[in-house]
């Protein structure tokens, strides 16, 4: 029978079967998926096939279907192994606020580039719009202009005043989604507004986090009452890590990627090269300077910098 993995607790996996059963499953034998050296063979979000164990209510996973995408975390030791946090994510929402806490374009751009690298569609949510000053509203509009022109959907939300929660729900319906953003932007509040039944869980996690207790937590997927799933990654507080090859970063900036073929050099980094279509576009205001700035920082920044940025 087919199902989707909603939780992993070491050697057992909760599988939400297509007949509606929630079945505890184990793995049979060794699973290796081509191309990834991961510490966990099966991840939350994986679509699997399983068989019920004879005379029992438990099951054995015998097939893992190909993942559309997945996000990873590096293992702590120096081996090349990665831990797959979650897979088959339809939308990654990034929650931002202009000033409470402040969100830099650099943070947004790194997130978006990471989502592109993972092949996960991203949507930007501006939260707390009920409390923006006129100046903050203006900044928000400028950012929205930039991101919508590139093709990213932006939604203005107030999680506490219940503004546009329906729009977010509409995008979540029937999909597997996750929320990221700096601590304090209102992730828990928004998730609670979307699905009050998840209230307890998120509140507990953020409380734990604030007290600085570091508990080992795993990603978990929750079914939404209006259809679809939300992936919660407590304790991870981020969006995984991509080791960017400087030469590839521009491919994850869609508006740069489009111009790539017009640069004189096929391997143009768009930094010091002459006759660069990307630099021309920045000069002509066709590419936002803030985007170019984020790009240059990513190309020149070291990996450690990058990680710090994505995990805060
Ligand atoms: P998290 O760390 O991202 O989970 O953030 P929380 O959900 O804990 O929210 C942080 C603070 O922001 C809380 O005091 C919330 O009440 C407040 N907050 C969340 N959403 C909004 C909003 O839309 N408007 C206003 N004014 N405050 C909000
Ligand atoms: Zn170029």
């Amino acid at each position: 029978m087919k199902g989707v993995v909603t939780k992993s607790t070491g050697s057992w996996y909760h599988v939400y079967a297509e007949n509606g059963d929630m079945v505890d499953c184990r793995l049979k034998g060794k699973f290796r998926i081509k191309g990834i050296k991961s510490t966990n063979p099966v991840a939350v979000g994986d679509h699997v096939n399983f068989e019920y164990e004879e005379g029992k209510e438990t099951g054995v996973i015998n097939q893992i279907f190909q993942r559309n995408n997945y996000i990873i975390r590096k293992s702590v030791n120096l081996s090349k192994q990665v831990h797959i946090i979650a897979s088959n994510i339809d939308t990654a929402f990034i929650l931002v606020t202009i000033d409470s806490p402040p969100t830099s374009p650099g943070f947004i751009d790194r997130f978006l580039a990471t989502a592109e690298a993972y092949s996960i569609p991203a949507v930007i949510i501006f939260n707390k719009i009920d409390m923006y000053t006129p100046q903050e509203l203006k900044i928000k509009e400028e950012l929205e202009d930039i991101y919508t022109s590139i093709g990213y959907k932006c939604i203005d939300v107030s999680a506490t005043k219940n503004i546009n929660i329906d729009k977010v729900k509409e995008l979540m319906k029937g999909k597997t989604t996750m929320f990221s953003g700096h601590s304090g932007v209102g992730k828990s509040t928004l998730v609670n507004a979307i699905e009050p039944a998840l209230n307890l869980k998120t509140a507990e996690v953020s409380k734990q986090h604030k007290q600085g207790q570091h508990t080992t937590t795993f990603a978990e997927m929750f079914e939404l009452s209006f259809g679809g799933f939300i992936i919660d990654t407590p304790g991870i507080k981020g969006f995984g890590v991509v080791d960017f090859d400087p030469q590839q970063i521009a491919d994850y900036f869609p508006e740069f990627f489009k111009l790539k073929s017009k640069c004189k050099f096929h391997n143009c980094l768009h930094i010091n090269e002459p006759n660069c279509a990307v630099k021309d576009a920045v000069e002509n205001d066709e590419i936002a300077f803030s985007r170019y700035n984020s790009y240059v920082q990513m190309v020149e920044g070291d990996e450690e910098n990058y990680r710090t940025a994505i995990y805060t």
Side-chain angles (χ1 to χ4, degrees), residues 263 265 268-271 273 275-279:
C263 294
F265 298 105
C268 186
L269 260 185
H270 322 302
I271 293 183
E273 297 85 346
N275 296 336
C276 166
V278 170
K279 280 196 293 178

Side-chain angles (χ1 to χ4, degrees), residues 127-128 130-131 158-160 182-189:
N127 189 34
K128 309 196 187 182
D130 57 284
M131 58 177 285
S158 168
T160 46
H182 287 308
S183 175
V185 288
K187 289 182 298 293
S188 322
T189 311

Side-chain angles (χ1 to χ4, degrees), residues 104 148 183 252:
S104 68
T148 47
S183 175
Y252 306 131

